[in-house]
Amino acid sequence: METFKISELAREFDITTRSIRFYEDVGLLHPDRNGNTRIYKRRDKIRLKLILRGKRLGFSLAEIRELFELYDTKQSHAQLHEMLRIIDDKQAVLQRQIRDIDAVMQELELAKARCEQALNNTETQ
């Protein structure tokens, strides 16, 4: 079975060992221990990747924990509906962010074009 040390995961994901220990403290990761050494399995590595991706997408740690709990337990209809609600809510937030980013990008392009035009006008005078 493939295992990882905390320092290996920290290097691979470019985060601190302290961050990984924090995720363990809040119950998102569950490494085995050999004395004081944490031994992370492939499952922990995948969960860490999902935690970091979720954070980049704006999920709170509570939302990430809830998704893990829904995934880890036998999924009833109620749990699946709750997971769908969480996903729908997050998709709506991300769609709004995409629209906002697109609007800002267009404004920046216009500002850039005006600056370039102003520079060209001053250079030709």
Side-chain angles (χ1 to χ4, degrees):
M1 175 184 286
E2 189 176 20
T3 61
F4 309 91
K5 295 180 182 175
I6 193 169
S7 58
E8 294 170 330
L9 292 177
R11 258 191 315 279
E12 180 171 341
F13 292 106
D14 195 28
I15 59 174
T16 64
T17 56
R18 184 176 179 180
S19 294
I20 297 172
R21 286 191 299 274
F22 174 75
Y23 298 138
E24 180 184 344
D25 290 343
V26 298
L28 295 175
L29 297 174
H30 306 283
D32 292 333
R33 291 192 178 260
N34 183 3
N36 286 333
T37 304
R38 290 168 170 84
I39 301 170
Y40 295 87
K41 296 179 183 166
R42 186 173 185 276
R43 180 177 190 265
D44 297 306
K45 182 178 177 180
I46 291 168
R47 285 174 77 106
L48 180 57
K49 183 177 183 177
L50 292 173
I51 292 165
L52 298 174
R53 181 175 295 148
K55 285 180 52 80
R56 275 194 313 275
L57 295 174
F59 283 81
S60 70
L61 291 181
E63 289 170 322
I64 293 168
R65 179 183 302 104
E66 189 174 356
L67 290 172
F68 283 171
E69 287 170 358
L70 289 172
Y71 181 77
D72 289 344
T73 61
K74 186 174 184 225
Q75 298 170 342
S76 69
H77 282 11
Q79 288 172 316
L80 291 171
H81 284 292
E82 178 63 13
M83 190 167 203
L84 287 172
R85 184 198 61 77
I86 292 168
I87 291 168
D88 287 342
D89 290 349
K90 190 51 68 176
Q91 284 178 319
V93 168
L94 291 172
Q95 286 297 328
R96 283 193 302 274
Q97 289 175 335
I98 287 170
R99 287 191 300 273
D100 291 343
I101 290 168
D102 286 341
V104 170
M105 290 296 287
Q106 289 176 1
E107 291 170 12
L108 289 172
E109 284 299 322
L110 288 171
K112 182 179 178 180
R114 282 187 294 231
C115 289
E116 289 171 343
Q117 184 178 9
L119 282 173
N120 288 336
N121 289 342
T122 58
E123 291 173 359
T124 57
Q125 293 179 1

